[in-house]
Amino acid sequence: METKFQYFAQFAKGNRWSTFDNLTSLIMQSLVHLGGINAGQDHVAADSTQESSSPKKKVVILGTGWAGMSFLKNLDSKLYDVRIVSPRNYFVFTPLLPSVTVGTVEARSITEPIRRIIRKKEAQFHEAECIKIDVDKKQITCKDVSDITFKGKEEFDLPYDYLVIAVGATSNTFGTKGVMEYCHFLKDIEDAERIREHIINCFETASLPHLSSEERRKLLNFVVVGGGPTGVEFSAELHDLVHEDLLCLYPHLKDNVKITLVQSGDHILNTFDRRISQFAEKKFSRDGVHVKIGCRVLEVTDEYIRFKAKDTGKLVDVPYGMIVWSTGISTRPVIADFMKQIGQEKHRVLATDEWLRVKNCEGVYALGDCASIEQRKIVEDIAYIFKQADKDNNSLLSAAEFVETMEEVRLRYPQIDLYMDHKHMKGVIGLLDEALNSGDQDNAQLDLEHFSAAMSKVDSLMKCMPATAQVAAQQGTYLAHSFNHIARHKPAEGPKRIRAEGRHRFNPFCYRHLGQFAPLGGEQAAAELPGDWVSIGRSTMWLWYSVYASKQVSWRTRALVMFDWTKRFVFGRDSSRM
Amino acid sequence: METKFQYFAQFAKGNRWSTFDNLTSLIMQSLVHLGGINAGQDHVAADSTQESSSPKKKVVILGTGWAGMSFLKNLDSKLYDVRIVSPRNYFVFTPLLPSVTVGTVEARSITEPIRRIIRKKEAQFHEAECIKIDVDKKQITCKDVSDITFKGKEEFDLPYDYLVIAVGATSNTFGTKGVMEYCHFLKDIEDAERIREHIINCFETASLPHLSSEERRKLLNFVVVGGGPTGVEFSAELHDLVHEDLLCLYPHLKDNVKITLVQSGDHILNTFDRRISQFAEKKFSRDGVHVKIGCRVLEVTDEYIRFKAKDTGKLVDVPYGMIVWSTGISTRPVIADFMKQIGQEKHRVLATDEWLRVKNCEGVYALGDCASIEQRKIVEDIAYIFKQADKDNNSLLSAAEFVETMEEVRLRYPQIDLYMDHKHMKGVIGLLDEALNSGDQDNAQLDLEHFSAAMSKVDSLMKCMPATAQVAAQQGTYLAHSFNHIARHKPAEGPKRIRAEGRHRFNPFCYRHLGQFAPLGGEQAAAELPGDWVSIGRSTMWLWYSVYASKQVSWRTRALVMFDWTKRFVFGRDSSRM
């Protein structure tokens, strides 16, 4: 894989658009080492053997998305009796879903059958949907999703010792009327294919001879709700499809197509660096993609979509041909039921601790979009930490005491590292400087009150992890490591316990953000890269191609995706309606 | 294209399986010149210009299958106001449909958007279904097929001067109970994709842990009804899919899979040479594909399919996981209605004359699977022919009189050429020999009675053309030539009229059978080739690959199909259920 990257890096270097030549290869090297789920890498230790003659513990994995697959790939399946349950017998490389909606890549090029992934593993896959989790009996109930079940045999139970919930999430309509009925979503392969068909339907119906030009304009008004990465990428892909391919085939519709991107916030791509969202807005305005910021969707009917402009309060009804709703995520029904069962009904998603264990629920783990880590605040344990640190019991921490303790404590509270990164601190001593509000470390005398104030500042920066493939994949890898560790009876490797004796078995999960991409159409992309680098333009698009090709789950999908890109360059996108 | 063929020919020559080396390149050369609808060929004369200032005649083409596309490709669209109406905005290379059912090639690789085909033509396409033909008003009524129509605007009318009906056919259940509800058909892309999904569904459901082995066996019992080329090719592809790909991923189901091919006749492939059908039967029996010959399907329920063995009369009920019904064709509802309107309700399909004109219906033409030519018998005109031939009015034909007339008459009655081919005659003189029952041509004295007897023998060999892509494509090319001819006001080029003065405008349509292929799985195929050659084996499969690649409708689909074949060799077929 290194070799291929070097090739891409060289390519980018020789490229006349390249704006950050030296950076490119650096980044690629760092990206190669992402905790992804490449087929080439087998994280399972080669020397692993089943170390106990007792029956293997049953691990049931729900879901075949990023979290589930990353867990499965990294789990030493010889150590457990592994079952995977999912209504989808394939893994989807979701970051390329917007490309599938317009045919830049084909649906089957970004999916890999689960049974191929587990071919060399001791694991069983069942294509079924989990409809009930029974924590008392430690079993789940599953339902066959095909339409060829036998009467009275639609459901079956599976017992578990460990349950790994990685079922992902559904779209969130925020209760907006009509969204469920009239909007398209962009969560799964079927969604993408439905959108693809619908776009062509709009163009074909608009080409019928008996329509008025007003009706044509309505059919060709495409509305995208949500200015996040998915919404923006879909708008860009749709714009490319229309202008690079469809208008050559439907030249009579040239003046009727309109693409509108609706964002409730003040900017699109608002999780990205300000420069990126500005660039994206400018590019869209140049391309003729209408960006409506500060607009909230109130209602959708079969005729129009109703917005409210936040600043003026004015209501606008816009007729549409297609709406793609790409904002917000929501819990799946089975998880909502489960949350009620375990007293988490007030949470947005399943709450876990830092080790991905579902709270108050023995043997159940949750990761990916269906779960959220409730990170323990440092201030909750502040008295215990202070007491541990204060070796000489003088109720004041010296610099040495502070550093010694904090080096241990930062393992337990990942927010410390995030905070230090954010503030560009070189070590925990920076925290002391900040707490003391001075650089005089030699005479440092930190009392509980100031210590607590400093730590609550650290806690305040804590936020939920984004619902991205990156987080899910890292969580899967992390959890698999934990499972392998337990089954191999290895000693605890976590940080010291704060309130009790001994050590935690593992370090808590710590998310490493490795950057993010936003393709903007017309062979341009924007990227946030490790080390606060921002990169925009054509060379970034090439970086995007190389990173996304390298991150494919198998050599098969890698070859297919690269062929699809080539095909698009040579022949354009297909406009058959199927 | 020639170059590519030479390459394939060389390849086949170097190939150790090759059994008919010298033949291969010969055949390829002949096949390159088939009257197909290659994108590379543009049959429209380059010098054509609109020769009249009067408004162009309106030609409406119904259907985008082989017949419609071949007509469209060869029509000089500058000469007419051309509209194409079809519920499908793409052309399908139907001979590869069985490959799509198992993922050997992808659906989009064998389809070409109509709008790409007509990009350089002056033609308009409407994605709609023709639901009514009004011959009095000379207009058709069409219905939008998308789900996004405007209220009250679901239908529209189109006037025509010439209507070209090429809508193809649907499957024929022969009134067998349950077939419509429980069987899959194999006529269109959607059918193929449904079959593909259903096969994987059967394997996935059979892998669920709570089923009995009897239930598993039921799910994995695949029944194919119809031993024609499609049924045989599908069975072969299914066998390859199961044994080359699926059983590696579902090894636990190894002993449960069964493929049964049901044929009502005494042999499968009974339109092929006897050697081919014997080879196919032996190969299937070796591969474990169960061939049930002489079996009629009486009924299908959700539980079983009921056969009756013709010889014993025994009824057998067989539980099944999937049935593919690939036998018989039937008229589409709109054509059935139209046939009633023009008094053809007793016909199986639309009856046309030898010039593809629908009988008793001014300006309407029909071709492809929805039509059948009612070839005029020679004996119907025998008195006129005899009178024309008998120049010296002695009520006897000399050899010279016979030959002179028959050379003209064979153009009017294509069955004469077919008969001569069949009997390996070198010229019409052979017919005379046969009629006289002697070789003594010098003293030939043929009377009306013997002449009539000889011609009725010729008529007796006449049969309907098969419902194949080859016939449809040749008809399309033929009709386009006629249309171009008329619009350019060229003189009549047909044979002399028999009952009236002057000449027919064109020769009647004459079908040239160029051979047929039957892929049998495991990289083996059988072929009937021009000149009564039969070829069987691996080299035939390579011939099949090269012919089917060359016959693709565009360079795009050619590249895609060849990539799909390569992909299958390298990575196998995809088993994702979508």
Side-chain angles (χ1 to χ4, degrees):
Chain A
M1 201 149 52
E2 291 263 337
T3 325
K4 186 154 56 78
F5 263 103
Q6 279 155 16
Y7 165 75
F8 274 113
Q10 273 172 10
F11 185 92
K13 276 191 182 176
N15 194 318
R16 65 189 168 87
W17 308 309
S18 179
T19 54
F20 58 106
D21 297 352
N22 297 325
L23 182 62
T24 315
S25 58
L26 202 93
I27 295 155
M28 285 182 181
Q29 278 166 25
S30 88
L31 284 162
V32 173
H33 299 293
L34 301 189
I37 55 168
N38 277 305
Q41 303 164 235
D42 199 349
H43 293 252
V44 176
D47 60 347
S48 67
T49 48
Q50 204 194 330
E51 286 159 45
S52 137
S53 60
S54 62
K56 292 177 190 175
K57 296 269 190 190
K58 294 185 190 73
V59 176
V60 174
I61 307 168
L62 300 184
T64 48
W66 281 96
M69 279 307 92
S70 156
F71 174 74
L72 180 66
K73 279 234 154 194
N74 292 291
L75 183 72
D76 184 348
S77 60
K78 292 194 205 84
L79 303 173
Y80 293 96
D81 173 359
V82 183
R83 309 248 177 165
I84 309 127
V85 175
S86 169
R88 238 174 40 186
N89 78 347
Y90 51 86
F91 165 81
V92 183
F93 189 84
T94 46
L96 285 179
L97 264 189
S99 297
V100 173
T101 57
V102 299
T104 307
V105 301
E106 294 299 334
R108 286 186 185 272
S109 303
I110 62 163
T111 60
E112 182 72 3
I114 294 308
R115 291 180 188 277
R116 261 177 177 273
I117 296 174
I118 62 172
R119 214 165 12 166
K120 287 172 191 160
K121 296 236 165 198
E122 289 175 21
Q124 286 184 61
F125 172 73
H126 302 309
E127 195 194 57
E129 194 177 350
C130 171
I131 51 168
K132 202 182 148 208
I133 300 168
D134 189 331
V135 274
D136 297 328
K137 289 192 191 160
K138 283 205 155 197
Q139 75 176 25
I140 60 168
T141 305
C142 304
K143 208 180 110 189
D144 186 2
V145 289
S146 77
D147 49 358
I148 44 169
T149 48
F150 291 93
K151 272 170 209 150
K153 289 211 161 181
E154 293 83 4
E155 297 177 8
F156 61 95
D157 294 330
L158 269 188
Y160 67 81
D161 293 308
Y162 301 117
L163 180 66
V164 177
I165 304 177
V167 296
T170 60
S171 298
N172 193 346
T173 65
F174 305 107
T176 316
K177 218 173 117 188
V179 172
M180 237 2 148
E181 294 90 323
Y182 302 113
C183 294
H184 287 265
F185 301 98
L186 192 39
K187 276 269 160 208
D188 212 333
I189 283 288
E190 281 88 6
D191 297 333
E193 296 205 309
R194 264 192 293 268
I195 290 174
R196 186 172 184 182
E197 187 176 347
H198 197 96
I199 295 170
I200 301 297
N201 259 337
C202 288
F203 274 82
E204 285 297 352
T205 298
S207 301
L208 294 180
H210 64 309
L211 298 191
S212 69
S213 65
E214 189 191 342
E215 285 163 337
R216 266 183 247 284
R217 272 200 302 277
K218 176 184 186 303
L219 281 171
L220 297 176
N221 195 2
F222 299 99
V223 180
V224 183
V225 180
T230 309
V232 166
E233 187 176 348
F234 172 70
S235 306
E237 286 273 12
L238 180 61
H239 175 267
D240 283 0
L241 169 72
V242 169
H243 290 270
E244 291 173 8
D245 298 289
L246 294 187
L247 288 186
C248 306
L249 299 178
Y250 303 79
H252 50 285
L253 299 176
K254 198 166 169 255
D255 301 323
N256 299 307
V257 186
K258 187 175 170 188
I259 301 171
T260 310
L261 176 61
V262 181
Q263 161 73 329
S264 60
D266 290 338
H267 292 286
I268 59 172
L269 293 180
N270 55 15
T271 59
F272 282 67
D273 187 281
R274 189 78 196 84
R275 285 164 289 175
I276 289 180
S277 66
Q278 271 175 350
F279 179 84
E281 281 167 12
K282 270 190 205 144
K283 183 173 186 307
F284 276 4
S285 123
R286 224 168 31 235
D287 287 349
V289 174
H290 298 253
V291 178
K292 273 182 187 283
I293 53 168
C295 257
R296 216 156 65 81
V297 177
L298 294 188
E299 186 190 358
V300 181
T301 73
D302 60 344
E303 286 294 325
Y304 59 80
I305 173 167
R306 174 170 290 172
F307 306 113
K308 185 179 179 182
K310 274 187 186 166
D311 47 358
T312 62
K314 224 177 91 184
L315 298 185
V316 191
D317 292 348
V318 178
Y320 65 88
M322 181 175 82
I323 305 173
V324 173
W325 187 269
S326 73
T327 174
I329 60 166
S330 174
T331 316
R332 291 190 186 278
V334 60
I335 300 301
D337 279 357
F338 177 55
M339 284 164 71
K340 253 183 224 162
Q341 207 188 125
I342 58 170
Q344 288 199 2
E345 58 268 52
K346 286 189 185 151
H347 287 73
R348 196 180 50 85
V349 286
L350 266 173
T352 72
D353 64 15
E354 296 93 326
W355 290 269
L356 309 184
R357 297 176 297 200
V358 174
K359 291 199 162 177
N360 318 320
C361 205
E362 172 72 23
V364 183
Y365 298 77
L367 57 169
D369 290 2
C370 68
S372 175
I373 295 173
E374 293 217 323
Q375 180 60 54
R376 191 170 180 79
K377 288 185 177 166
I378 311 170
V379 290
E380 289 179 53
D381 296 328
I382 198 78
Y384 295 91
I385 297 170
F386 194 85
K387 204 170 154 218
Q388 260 187 29
D390 187 17
K391 299 257 159 72
D392 56 5
N393 279 322
N394 66 346
S395 300
L396 289 169
L397 301 185
S398 69
E401 282 172 343
F402 181 87
V403 170
E404 193 191 337
T405 302
M406 288 308 284
E407 284 298 350
E408 190 69 37
V409 166
R410 66 192 279 193
L411 300 175
R412 173 65 186 83
Y413 304 93
Q415 62 264 51
I416 297 178
D417 277 12
L418 289 179
Y419 186 81
M420 294 194 316
D421 271 1
H422 180 72
K423 295 271 180 180
H424 302 290
M425 290 178 184
K426 294 236 169 80
V428 288
I429 200 75
L431 290 172
L432 183 61
D433 289 349
E434 205 180 57
L436 295 169
N437 212 357
S438 83
D440 184 9
Q441 295 154 2
D442 296 340
N443 304 315
Q445 296 283 315
L446 189 65
D447 61 11
L448 179 59
E449 190 186 342
H450 282 89
F451 182 51
S452 178
M455 290 304 110
S456 81
K457 248 172 110 179
V458 171
D459 281 338
S460 71
L461 210 77
M462 215 163 67
K463 54 184 173 188
C464 280
M465 286 164 205
T468 61
Q470 212 176 125
V471 170
Q474 287 184 24
Q475 288 182 338
T477 310
Y478 166 84
L479 193 64
H481 170 79
S482 307
F483 270 66
N484 293 343
H485 189 101
I486 293 170
R488 286 179 194 138
H489 307 291
K490 289 194 177 172
E493 58 176 21
K496 248 181 165 168
R497 288 177 193 276
I498 301 294
R499 298 194 185 207
E501 287 303 301
R503 295 194 154 272
H504 288 282
R505 199 137 189 192
F506 319 103
N507 286 331
F509 171 73
C510 178
Y511 171 55
R512 284 206 310 150
H513 185 61
L514 296 158
Q516 53 187 344
F517 280 102
L520 301 172
E523 295 303 308
Q524 302 213 27
E528 264 180 25
L529 299 164
D532 280 347
W533 279 89
V534 164
S535 152
I536 297 174
R538 285 179 185 270
S539 47
T540 314
M541 194 66 202
W542 282 100
L543 180 65
W544 182 88
Y545 282 125
S546 49
V547 169
Y548 275 37
S550 82
K551 301 302 294 169
Q552 289 301 316
V553 73
S554 74
W555 281 104
R556 194 185 72 89
T557 57
R558 195 168 295 133
L560 298 189
V561 162
M562 297 204 299
F563 177 77
D564 283 350
W565 286 332
T566 314
K567 179 178 88 180
R568 201 269 292 167
F569 276 113
V570 179
F571 300 111
R573 300 170 184 88
D574 187 18
S575 69
S576 305
R577 182 188 55 79
M578 65 175 74
Chain B
M1 198 152 49
E2 292 265 336
T3 325
K4 185 150 60 74
F5 262 102
Q6 279 155 17
Y7 165 74
F8 274 114
Q10 275 171 9
F11 185 93
K13 276 191 181 176
N15 194 316
R16 66 188 167 87
W17 307 309
S18 180
T19 55
F20 59 109
D21 297 354
N22 297 325
L23 182 64
T24 314
S25 58
L26 204 93
I27 295 155
M28 284 181 181
Q29 277 165 26
S30 88
L31 283 161
V32 173
H33 300 292
L34 301 190
I37 54 169
N38 276 304
Q41 302 162 233
D42 199 351
H43 294 251
V44 177
D47 63 346
S48 67
T49 50
Q50 204 193 331
E51 285 160 45
S52 140
S53 59
S54 63
K56 293 179 189 174
K57 297 268 191 191
K58 292 186 190 74
V59 176
V60 174
I61 307 168
L62 300 184
T64 48
W66 282 96
M69 279 307 90
S70 158
F71 174 74
L72 180 66
K73 280 236 153 194
N74 293 291
L75 183 71
D76 184 348
S77 60
K78 290 193 205 85
L79 303 173
Y80 292 96
D81 172 0
V82 183
R83 310 246 176 167
I84 310 127
V85 175
S86 171
R88 238 175 40 185
N89 78 347
Y90 50 86
F91 165 81
V92 183
F93 190 85
T94 45
L96 285 179
L97 264 188
S99 297
V100 174
T101 57
V102 300
T104 306
V105 301
E106 294 299 332
R108 286 187 184 269
S109 303
I110 63 163
T111 61
E112 183 73 2
I114 293 308
R115 293 182 186 275
R116 260 177 177 272
I117 296 173
I118 62 172
R119 216 168 7 170
K120 288 172 191 161
K121 297 235 167 200
E122 290 174 22
Q124 285 185 58
F125 172 74
H126 302 309
E127 196 194 58
E129 195 176 348
C130 171
I131 52 168
K132 202 184 148 206
I133 299 168
D134 189 331
V135 274
D136 297 326
K137 290 192 192 161
K138 283 207 157 195
Q139 73 175 24
I140 59 167
T141 305
C142 304
K143 206 180 113 191
D144 186 2
V145 290
S146 77
D147 49 358
I148 45 169
T149 48
F150 291 92
K151 269 170 211 150
K153 289 212 161 182
E154 293 83 4
E155 297 178 8
F156 61 96
D157 295 330
L158 269 188
Y160 67 81
D161 294 307
Y162 300 118
L163 180 66
V164 178
I165 304 178
V167 296
T170 60
S171 298
N172 193 345
T173 64
F174 306 106
T176 315
K177 216 174 118 187
V179 172
M180 239 356 150
E181 293 89 323
Y182 302 113
C183 293
H184 287 264
F185 301 99
L186 192 39
K187 277 266 160 210
D188 212 335
I189 283 287
E190 281 87 6
D191 297 333
E193 295 204 309
R194 265 193 293 268
I195 290 175
R196 186 171 184 183
E197 186 177 347
H198 197 97
I199 295 169
I200 302 296
N201 259 337
C202 288
F203 274 83
E204 284 298 352
T205 297
S207 301
L208 293 181
H210 65 308
L211 297 190
S212 69
S213 64
E214 189 190 344
E215 286 162 335
R216 267 182 245 285
R217 271 200 301 276
K218 174 183 188 306
L219 281 171
L220 298 175
N221 196 5
F222 299 98
V223 179
V224 184
V225 180
T230 310
V232 166
E233 187 177 346
F234 172 70
S235 308
E237 286 273 12
L238 180 60
H239 176 266
D240 282 0
L241 169 72
V242 169
H243 290 271
E244 290 171 8
D245 297 289
L246 293 187
L247 288 185
C248 305
L249 300 178
Y250 303 78
H252 49 285
L253 300 176
K254 198 165 168 255
D255 301 324
N256 299 307
V257 185
K258 187 176 171 187
I259 302 171
T260 309
L261 175 61
V262 181
Q263 161 73 327
S264 60
D266 291 337
H267 292 286
I268 59 172
L269 294 180
N270 53 16
T271 60
F272 282 66
D273 188 281
R274 188 78 195 82
R275 285 165 288 176
I276 290 179
S277 67
Q278 272 175 347
F279 179 83
E281 280 166 11
K282 270 191 206 145
K283 182 171 187 310
F284 276 4
S285 120
R286 225 168 32 235
D287 287 349
V289 175
H290 299 254
V291 178
K292 274 182 187 284
I293 54 168
C295 257
R296 216 156 64 80
V297 177
L298 294 187
E299 186 191 358
V300 182
T301 72
D302 60 344
E303 286 294 323
Y304 59 80
I305 174 167
R306 174 170 291 172
F307 306 113
K308 184 179 178 181
K310 274 185 184 166
D311 47 357
T312 61
K314 224 177 91 184
L315 299 184
V316 191
D317 291 348
V318 178
Y320 66 87
M322 181 174 81
I323 304 173
V324 173
W325 188 270
S326 73
T327 176
I329 60 166
S330 174
T331 317
R332 291 190 187 278
V334 61
I335 300 303
D337 278 359
F338 177 56
M339 285 166 70
K340 252 184 224 163
Q341 207 189 125
I342 58 171
Q344 288 199 3
E345 58 268 52
K346 284 188 185 151
H347 288 72
R348 197 180 50 86
V349 285
L350 267 174
T352 71
D353 64 15
E354 297 92 327
W355 290 269
L356 310 183
R357 296 175 298 200
V358 174
K359 293 201 163 175
N360 317 320
C361 206
E362 171 71 24
V364 182
Y365 298 76
L367 56 170
D369 290 2
C370 67
S372 175
I373 295 174
E374 293 216 325
Q375 182 59 53
R376 192 169 178 80
K377 287 186 180 167
I378 311 170
V379 289
E380 288 178 53
D381 296 326
I382 199 78
Y384 296 90
I385 298 171
F386 193 86
K387 202 170 153 218
Q388 259 187 28
D390 187 16
K391 299 257 159 68
D392 54 8
N393 279 320
N394 65 347
S395 297
L396 289 169
L397 300 186
S398 69
E401 283 171 342
F402 181 87
V403 169
E404 192 191 337
T405 303
M406 289 310 283
E407 284 298 348
E408 190 69 37
V409 165
R410 68 193 276 196
L411 298 175
R412 172 66 187 83
Y413 305 93
Q415 62 264 48
I416 297 179
D417 277 12
L418 289 178
Y419 185 81
M420 292 194 317
D421 272 0
H422 179 72
K423 292 273 182 179
H424 302 289
M425 290 178 184
K426 293 235 169 82
V428 289
I429 200 73
L431 291 170
L432 182 62
D433 290 349
E434 207 180 56
L436 295 168
N437 213 357
S438 84
D440 184 10
Q441 295 153 3
D442 297 339
N443 303 314
Q445 297 284 317
L446 189 65
D447 61 10
L448 179 59
E449 191 187 340
H450 284 89
F451 182 51
S452 178
M455 290 303 113
S456 81
K457 247 173 112 179
V458 172
D459 282 338
S460 71
L461 210 78
M462 217 164 66
K463 53 184 175 188
C464 281
M465 288 164 203
T468 62
Q470 214 175 125
V471 171
Q474 287 184 26
Q475 289 183 337
T477 310
Y478 166 84
L479 194 64
H481 169 79
S482 309
F483 270 65
N484 293 342
H485 189 100
I486 293 170
R488 287 180 194 138
H489 307 291
K490 289 198 177 171
E493 59 176 21
K496 250 184 167 164
R497 288 178 193 275
I498 301 295
R499 300 196 182 205
E501 288 302 298
R503 296 196 153 272
H504 287 281
R505 198 136 189 193
F506 319 104
N507 285 330
F509 172 72
C510 177
Y511 171 55
R512 285 206 308 148
H513 185 61
L514 296 158
Q516 53 187 344
F517 280 102
L520 300 172
E523 294 303 307
Q524 302 212 28
E528 263 180 25
L529 299 164
D532 281 349
W533 279 90
V534 163
S535 153
I536 298 175
R538 285 179 186 270
S539 46
T540 314
M541 193 65 202
W542 283 100
L543 181 64
W544 182 90
Y545 281 125
S546 49
V547 169
Y548 276 36
S550 82
K551 301 300 296 167
Q552 289 301 316
V553 73
S554 73
W555 281 105
R556 194 186 73 87
T557 57
R558 193 168 297 133
L560 298 189
V561 163
M562 296 204 299
F563 177 77
D564 284 350
W565 286 332
T566 314
K567 178 178 91 179
R568 201 269 293 168
F569 276 113
V570 179
F571 299 113
R573 300 169 184 87
D574 187 18
S575 69
S576 305
R577 181 188 56 78
M578 64 174 76

